[in-house]
């Protein structure tokens, strides 16, 4: 067990170190110039790979440490690429950043077959796709056919990955499930693209139904069956709301109630039939199918039933008494199925309870006074009476949701309610005889409420920092505690919230990224020291491990590492060439101020040359070369000439002062040039936005541009 604690300590230490580097470079500390920042980044990258190699040679019994340092090097390369984008003011979160990062990561995955590289490559590929589809700096308009095609390409790509993982051509359990989830999501989104009439919806239903029966009969799989059921349920619910907005009427809501009842009846009869057909050895699988049907029916029937009943009553009697009637009806829907638990079919019972919860939430939010307290009492009573875990989980969730919304609004004490939720849920988690599912749900609610508390600025910066440190200490303790108890689910929850904290603090503006970076670096040193001490003080023998990756694939890894430095060097060389040899021009601009995912604060720029007045570019999503000419005030403006695919919009005669700038059309008359982001030290964006009126830009011989500086004059 002490060996696991040592491994976990080194893993957390490396994670903290990478987070510290990420925060430090994102802070854009103005004390360092661009070459010093590059030097620090490259040095860290070299050291991580050297330490990985050294651990493989010297600490052979700790192959995990060498492998993790190798992964840290791969992640640090991505941070370095992002830093170069920050230094040379390339697009914030450009998809090319993730593509460049993906290339060596994918090569690492192919060469090493190490699971972290598989997952990292998968995530990077999808981040590249996401930022290509929806850039963070520019607004791109895509037509419906284009989106339909993209969603299907993403779905097919992930389906291929899922098949490869399922057939062991790609031995990666994480990719197996990740690819299936993304496949389902892309397919789901494609169903709501308004193109080709009802074809997208029909395709989704056909494929979703085939998958459902496939995981039910041909390739039985509990997890994939429940995921497929849930997505089908969401599809039906969304389609119901779409039809409701178009055709709402008394007859529509009446049909909705009948449909909800029919869905429940069909599910009940279907499960009975399946039980009659199944043999004794299939009884366990029948229970799994029943769970999937219950999820499907509860989501669909309860939503349709609750909305239809509410809508019908409001159309028949548009009066406030309807809300009171619905509220008391919700209490009946919650309590009666609980008291008749042994006499009522499970599918019917959960549908009624869910309907009662949905109607109760809506009615209690609308009604004044303290009706919500009555709802909480009913939920608490139901939780105490029922013996079924799913019913307890449902009533627990609704209880906490209503408590947070209503009690928080009462006196504006959301922080106090969050603190109370944390204390009570943590106490429930620590109860020794609590069922595992309830323990884990209580742990999630406790840590979620505490995590939200760390974002509160109500009591000032010092209080926020103190709460954050306590949260970090608690989650770290829980990570080690759950590991010691060998509770995989609780361990996953604890370490998930541990990493969620590191991610959320990036967007916490109460204390600077630089200070957070130094704090994380100090914590990393502490974790390294404690892990080393535990290792040295332990008397147990370390078991033999597989040889480190660096020991067995040294030449291939060195080749990929050299490629990484070549990519960094090429990016630096290209940018420095433009800065030293390019032509300097002055442009007029109008900025705004967000934060990049990886590169820190930046000012988003829009130029007068971003719009080509009175033009209609033939290919509104293609490359374009725009001719700029200086005006009498020294500013460069659009000359009226542009070229696309070798064709000029009109006869062009070059003049000595002309500058041709490469761009990309984002509409019939708009162009972006890759100089729309200007990275600034943390917290200075608003001041830069207020003062900056002009941009100094360097344009290379081939038309590529780099943004040098912003100015008031």
């Amino acid at each position: 067990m002490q060996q696991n604690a040592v491994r976990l300590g080194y893993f957390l230490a490396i994670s903290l170190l990478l987070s510290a580097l990420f925060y430090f470079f994102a802070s854009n500390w103005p004390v360092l110039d661009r070459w010093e920042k590059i030097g620090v980044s490259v040095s860290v990258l070299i050291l991580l790979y050297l330490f990985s190699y050294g651990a493989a040679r010297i600490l052979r019994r700790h192959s995990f440490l060498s492998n993790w340092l190798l992964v840290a090097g791969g992640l640090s390369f991505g941070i370095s690429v992002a830093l170069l984008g920050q230094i040379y003011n390339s697009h914030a979160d450009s998809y090319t950043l993730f593509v460049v990062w993906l290339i060596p990561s994918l090569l690492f995955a192919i060469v090493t077959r190490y699971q972290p590289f598989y997952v990292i490559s998968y995530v990077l590929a999808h981040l590249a796709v996401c930022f290509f589809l929806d850039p963070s700096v520019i607004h791109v308009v895509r037509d419906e056919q284009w989106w339909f095609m993209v969603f299907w390409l993403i779905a097919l790509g992930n389906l291929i990955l899922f098949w490869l993982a399922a057939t062991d051509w790609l031995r990666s359990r994480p990719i197996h499930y990740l690819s299936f989830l993304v496949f389902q999501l892309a397919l789901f989104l494609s169903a709501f693209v308004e193109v080709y009439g009802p074809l997208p919806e029909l395709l989704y239903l056909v494929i979703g139904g085939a998958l459902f029966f496939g995981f039910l009969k041909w390739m039985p799989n509990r997890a994939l069956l429940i995921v497929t059921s849930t997505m089908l349920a969401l599809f039906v619910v969304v389609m119901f709301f779409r039809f409701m907005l178009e055709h709402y009427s008394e007859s529509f809501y009446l049909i909705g109630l009948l449909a909800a009842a029919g869905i429940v009846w069909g599910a009940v009869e279907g499960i009975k039939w399946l039980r009659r057909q199944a043999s004794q050895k299939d009884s366990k699988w029948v229970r799994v199918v029943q769970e999937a049907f219950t999820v499907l029916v509860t989501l669909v029937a309860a939503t349709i039933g609750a909305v239809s009943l509410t809508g019908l009553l409001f159309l028949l009697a548009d009066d406030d008494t309807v809300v009171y009637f619905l509220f008391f009806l919700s209490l009946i829907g919650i309590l009666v199925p609980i008291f008749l638990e042994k006499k009522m079919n499970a599918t019917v019972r959960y549908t009624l309870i869910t309907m009662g919860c949905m109607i109760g939430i809506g009615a209690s939010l609308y009604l004044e006074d303290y009706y919500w307290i009555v709802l909480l009492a009913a939920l608490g009573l139901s939780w105490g009476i029922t013996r079924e875990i799913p019913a307890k989980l449902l009533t627990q969730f609704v209880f906490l949701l209503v408590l947070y919304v209503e009690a928080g609004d009462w006196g504006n004490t959301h922080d106090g309610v969050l603190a109370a939720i944390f204390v009570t849920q943590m106490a429930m988690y620590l109860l020794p005889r609590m069922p595992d599912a309830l323990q884990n749900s209580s742990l999630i609610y406790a840590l979620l409420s505490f995590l939200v508390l760390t974002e509160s600025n109500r009591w000032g910066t010092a209080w926020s920092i103190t709460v954050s440190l306590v949260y970090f200490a608690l989650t770290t303790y829980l990570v080690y505690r759950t590991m010691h108890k060998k509770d995989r689910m609780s361990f996953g929850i604890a370490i998930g919230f541990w990493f969620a904290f590191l991610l959320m603090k990036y967007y916490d503006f109460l204390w600077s990224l630089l200070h957070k970076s130094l704090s994380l670096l100090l914590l990393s040193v502490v974790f390294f020291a404690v892990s080393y001490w535990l290792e040295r003080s332990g008397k147990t023998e370390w078991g033999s491990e597989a040889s480190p990756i660096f020991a067995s694939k040294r030449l291939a890894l060195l080749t990929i590492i050299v490629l990484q430095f070549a990519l960094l060097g090429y990016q630096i060389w290209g940018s420095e060439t433009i800065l030293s040899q390019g032509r300097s021009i002055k442009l007029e601009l109008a900025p705004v101020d967000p934060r990049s995912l990886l590169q820190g604060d930046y000012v988003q720029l829009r130029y007068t040359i971003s719009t080509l007045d009175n033009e209609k570019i033939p290919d509104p999503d293609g490359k374009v070369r725009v001719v700029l000419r200086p005006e009498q005030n020294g500013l460069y403006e659009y000359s009226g000439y542009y070229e696309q695919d070798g064709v000029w919009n009109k006869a062009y005669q070059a003049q000595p002062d002309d500058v041709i700038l490469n761009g990309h059309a984002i509409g019939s008359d708009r162009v972006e040039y890759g100089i729309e982001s200007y990275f600034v030290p943390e917290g200075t964006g608003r001041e830069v936005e207020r003062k900056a009126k002009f941009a100094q830009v360097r344009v290379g011989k081939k038309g590529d541009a780099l943004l040098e500086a912003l100015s008031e004059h």
Side-chain angles (χ1 to χ4, degrees), residues 8 82 84 88 93 149 155 170 177 187 206 232 273 295 303 333 360 367 369 397 405 593 619 659 676:
L8 179 61
L84 293 182
Y88 295 110
D93 299 328
M149 178 190 69
L170 177 64
Y177 288 106
L187 201 64
V206 170
L232 282 170
W273 176 84
V295 170
T303 303
L367 293 172
D369 299 325
F397 168 74
V405 174
D593 174 35
D619 182 0
V659 170
E676 283 74 19

Side-chain angles (χ1 to χ4, degrees), residues 50 155 158 160 175 207 224 276 309 349 437 487 520 585 596 605 653 657 693-694:
L50 285 177
N158 278 277
I160 292 171
I175 299 299
I207 295 173
L224 301 184
R276 290 195 299 267
L309 179 61
R349 182 168 65 253
D487 186 346
L520 293 174
I585 63 174
S596 161
L605 306 175
Q653 293 293 326
D657 292 332
K693 299 293 185 294
F694 305 99

Side-chain angles (χ1 to χ4, degrees), residues 2 104 122 147 185 217 230 245-246 303 313 331 335-336 401 429 470 486 490 508 514 519 549 611 664:
Q2 190 176 28
Y122 182 86
W147 280 110
L185 179 60
K217 186 175 182 180
T230 304
L245 294 174
E246 296 176 3
T303 303
L313 290 176
L331 298 182
L335 291 172
V336 170
L401 177 63
Y429 167 70
V470 173
K486 297 183 179 180
S490 296
D508 180 0
L514 182 62
S519 301
I549 297 172
T611 301
H664 190 279

Side-chain angles (χ1 to χ4, degrees), residues 539-710:
K539 297 181 180 180
T540 57
E541 291 291 332
W542 286 77
S544 59
E545 297 185 6
S547 62
I549 297 172
F550 233 128
S552 57
K553 300 181 182 295
R554 182 166 55 247
L555 182 59
L557 294 181
L558 288 176
T559 303
I560 299 172
I561 293 170
V562 169
L563 173 63
Q564 287 183 329
F565 284 103
L567 290 171
L568 293 176
Y570 178 78
Q571 188 174 351
I572 295 170
W573 173 79
S575 300
E576 288 296 326
T577 299
I578 294 175
L579 288 178
S580 61
Q581 301 178 12
R583 187 170 178 177
S584 180
I585 63 174
K586 190 176 183 181
L587 303 174
E588 191 173 1
L589 51 82
V592 292
D593 174 35
R595 170 171 286 186
S596 161
L597 174 68
L598 291 174
Q599 297 158 301
D601 290 4
Y602 66 96
V603 178
Q604 185 176 327
L605 306 175
R606 183 178 299 124
Y607 299 86
T608 57
I609 63 169
S610 296
T611 301
L612 308 186
D613 295 330
N614 303 317
E615 300 289 356
K616 188 173 182 179
I617 302 174
D619 182 0
D621 190 34
K623 294 181 179 180
V624 62
R625 300 173 70 226
V626 178
V627 179
L628 307 181
R629 282 179 181 167
E631 301 293 329
Q632 291 182 352
N633 56 9
L635 294 175
Y636 275 74
E637 298 289 351
Y638 172 54
S639 66
Y641 299 96
Y642 71 85
E643 177 260 331
Q644 190 175 50
D645 296 329
V647 179
W648 290 93
N649 62 325
K650 54 187 175 182
Y652 168 59
Q653 293 293 326
Q655 295 186 8
D657 292 332
D658 284 357
V659 170
I660 298 180
L661 195 58
N662 295 334
H664 190 279
I666 53 174
S668 61
D669 64 345
R670 293 184 57 207
V671 180
E672 62 94 11
Y673 302 95
I675 51 174
E676 283 74 19
S677 304
Y678 183 72
F679 291 92
V680 296
E682 183 188 9
T684 64
R686 294 299 180 189
E687 183 68 14
V688 172
E689 176 188 298
R690 185 179 65 83
K691 291 183 177 181
K693 299 293 185 294
F694 305 99
Q696 204 69 34
V697 175
R698 287 273 180 180
V699 183
K701 296 178 181 179
K702 296 182 179 180
D704 296 326
L706 281 181
L707 177 57
E708 282 190 288
L710 303 181

Side-chain angles (χ1 to χ4, degrees), residues 1-212:
M1 189 57 63
Q2 190 176 28
Q3 295 177 16
N4 291 333
V6 171
R7 288 189 177 93
L8 179 61
Y10 283 132
F11 173 74
L12 298 181
I14 293 172
S15 301
L16 289 167
L17 176 61
L18 288 173
S19 300
L21 291 172
F22 172 44
Y23 280 32
F24 175 74
F25 290 130
S27 70
N28 201 358
W29 196 28
V31 174
L32 298 177
D33 62 27
R34 70 173 186 269
W35 284 110
E36 289 172 331
K37 292 176 183 177
I38 292 172
V40 172
S41 174
V42 172
S43 298
V44 169
L45 191 59
I46 293 173
L47 286 174
L48 286 173
Y49 286 133
L50 285 177
F51 286 149
S52 176
Y53 178 72
R57 293 293 302 273
I58 301 171
L59 303 175
R60 290 185 176 273
R61 66 177 183 176
H62 294 339
S63 62
F64 67 90
L65 187 56
S66 173
N67 296 343
W68 291 349
L69 288 169
L70 181 64
V71 173
L75 295 173
S76 182
F77 169 74
I79 297 174
S80 300
V81 174
L83 174 66
L84 293 182
Q86 178 199 86
I87 292 172
Y88 295 110
N89 292 302
S90 68
H91 272 165
D93 299 328
S94 167
Y95 75 93
T96 57
L97 184 159
F98 297 102
V99 171
V100 172
W101 191 355
L102 170 64
I103 294 171
S105 179
L106 190 58
L107 291 174
F108 275 135
I110 294 171
V111 169
T112 66
R113 298 186 180 181
Y114 192 42
Q115 292 299 320
F117 283 122
Y118 281 133
V119 176
I120 292 169
S121 300
Y122 182 86
V123 172
L124 290 176
H126 284 77
L127 284 173
V129 171
C130 287
F131 282 106
F132 174 76
L133 298 176
D134 187 20
S136 58
V137 177
I138 60 175
H139 177 66
V140 180
V141 179
R142 318 281 194 187
D143 59 32
E144 296 297 313
Q145 289 89 349
W146 193 91
W147 280 110
F148 184 73
M149 178 190 69
V150 165
F151 286 139
W152 266 90
L153 288 174
I154 294 173
L156 290 174
N158 278 277
L159 182 61
I160 292 171
L161 284 175
F162 172 72
W163 177 78
L164 290 174
T167 55
D168 283 338
W169 283 87
L170 177 64
R171 296 189 177 182
S172 176
R173 193 172 181 83
I175 299 299
H176 180 249
Y177 288 106
L178 280 173
S179 59
F180 184 76
L181 288 173
V182 176
F183 161 74
Q184 285 276 11
L185 179 60
L187 201 64
F188 179 81
L189 293 175
S190 73
F192 299 102
V193 179
E194 295 183 359
V195 65
Y196 308 130
L199 178 63
E201 293 96 331
L202 292 175
L203 278 175
Y204 180 78
L205 279 177
V206 170
I207 295 173
L211 288 171
F212 181 87

